Amino acid sequence: METFSSEIEIIGVNPFVFIPKNILAKFFGEVGRSKGPIPIKGTINGKNFVQTLVKYQGEWRLYVNGIMLKSTGLKVGERAEFNLQLDKSSREIPMHPEFLKLLSQNKKAKDAFEKYPPSRQKEINRYLNNIKSDSIRLKNIDKIIRHLKGEKVEYFVLLRNKS
């Protein structure tokens, strides 16, 4: 566990702290790379969190989200104690079995899904797994498959055009 103290700063609307270079170097060595997001877990003033270190505008940052701030009562400009370690647990979100089955039956839809960035695939899997009703889930799986095949489907938030 790596420990440091830092003042919470803000960029735009996002509170964050910079990660000390010696801690970054240790994490880079452990994950075998110095690019891409680095999953971590730890504590802020003794309160547990799970987060990701990211590089933005040339600097590695730990974003201190609203849940983290609320749990500690901290505000931007205040100093906090951080304990960090790599989070080696899986963050993969499983594909719903029915979605997997239908994707495997349709090459065009499967190829289109695989071209999505991992974050988009994860978003779709999370969305489908969180639907409580089986009938609504199946209806949305059908919409997603049709969308992936290039068919026009009624508008729904998850697959809106982000351009």
Side-chain angles (χ1 to χ4, degrees):
M1 181 101 36
E2 301 300 318
T3 302
F4 69 99
S5 176
S6 183
E7 181 179 311
I8 300 171
E9 300 182 42
I10 194 161
I11 186 167
V13 297
N14 300 303
F16 74 95
V17 293
F18 289 111
I19 307 302
K21 297 204 182 309
N22 64 318
I23 294 175
L24 281 173
K26 182 172 190 246
F27 288 161
F28 294 159
E30 288 183 45
V31 297
R33 59 183 166 79
S34 61
K35 292 183 180 181
I38 298 176
I40 59 157
K41 61 184 176 181
T43 63
I44 176 173
N45 284 3
K47 301 292 183 178
N48 292 328
F49 68 87
V50 175
Q51 192 57 289
T52 305
L53 299 180
V54 294
K55 192 172 187 179
Y56 178 70
Q57 293 183 342
E59 297 283 349
W60 283 91
R61 304 164 196 265
L62 167 62
Y63 286 95
V64 183
N65 64 34
I67 295 169
M68 293 162 71
L69 288 174
K70 187 175 181 180
S71 74
T72 60
L74 289 166
K75 294 178 177 45
V76 172
E78 294 181 332
R79 194 158 199 81
E81 296 295 320
F82 293 86
N83 292 298
L84 305 180
Q85 65 185 44
L86 286 180
D87 183 3
K88 296 178 181 176
S89 64
S90 173
R91 293 191 179 181
E92 184 177 335
I93 296 177
M95 190 177 289
H96 189 275
E98 186 65 23
F99 184 49
L100 178 61
K101 177 181 146 192
L102 292 175
L103 272 182
S104 69
Q105 293 172 355
N106 189 297
K107 182 175 176 14
K108 186 173 183 177
K110 183 178 181 188
D111 289 348
F113 183 76
E114 289 174 351
K115 287 180 183 169
Y116 279 165
S119 61
R120 186 69 161 159
Q121 293 176 19
K122 191 175 190 179
E123 178 183 1
I124 291 169
N125 290 331
R126 181 181 297 118
Y127 172 76
L128 292 174
N129 288 331
N130 286 330
I131 297 173
K132 303 287 185 232
S133 163
D134 286 340
S135 64
I136 292 174
R137 182 182 302 107
L138 291 174
K139 183 178 176 181
N140 279 281
I141 288 172
D142 178 65
K143 285 181 184 180
I144 292 168
I145 294 291
R146 288 187 4 241
H147 172 81
L148 291 168
K149 290 181 353 185
E151 295 177 20
K152 201 163 191 96
V153 295
E154 66 184 71
Y155 175 82
F156 58 106
V157 174
L158 178 67
L159 295 176
R160 71 178 182 264
N161 187 347
K162 290 192 170 187
S163 55

